[in-house]
Amino acid sequence: DKKAIAEARNNAEALLYTTEKSLEEYASILRSEDIKQISDCVENLKSALGGTNLDAIKNAHLALEDSAYRIADLIYQNEADK
C-alpha cells in the first residue's frame, strides 16, 4: 500500500534527521561502540529507504530507535551528573 510506505518513509526520515543531528551534537559523551552501532543502524535504514519493502523499512526503523535511545540515556545521565 503506497500510503503505508509513504508514512513509514516519512517517519523513518524524521528519525534519521534527529538521530544524525544528535549523534553530531553528543558524540563527545557517546562511547565509540555506541556511535558505531547507531551509525550502522542509520545506514541500514537509509538502505531500506532505497527500496519499497515496507517490512524492511519498519524493521530498520525499529532497530534505529532501539539503538538511538542510548543518546537520550547518556544526555539524561550527563545532566544528572552536573
Side-chain angles (χ1 to χ4, degrees):
D1 173 277
K2 288 184 180 183
K3 184 178 179 184
I5 291 173
E7 189 174 309
R9 281 183 184 282
N10 287 340
N11 292 338
E13 288 170 359
L15 179 62
L16 281 172
Y17 175 79
T18 57
T19 302
E20 288 178 320
K21 190 171 173 72
S22 296
L23 265 179
E24 283 180 32
E25 191 171 342
Y26 298 105
S28 63
I29 63 170
L30 289 167
R31 297 177 313 179
S32 59
E33 55 267 22
D34 290 333
I35 292 172
K36 179 170 178 8
Q37 182 178 10
I38 295 166
S39 296
D40 288 348
C41 288
V42 164
E43 291 308 313
N44 288 340
L45 183 52
K46 285 180 178 179
S47 177
L49 285 172
T52 57
N53 184 324
L54 181 58
D55 288 335
I57 294 169
K58 285 183 174 181
N59 290 337
H61 183 273
L62 287 173
L64 181 54
E65 275 184 335
D66 286 347
S67 65
Y69 82 90
R70 287 182 177 89
I71 299 171
D73 282 352
L74 286 169
I75 293 168
Y76 180 76
Q77 285 177 347
N78 201 38
E79 291 300 313
D81 292 343
K82 287 184 179 179

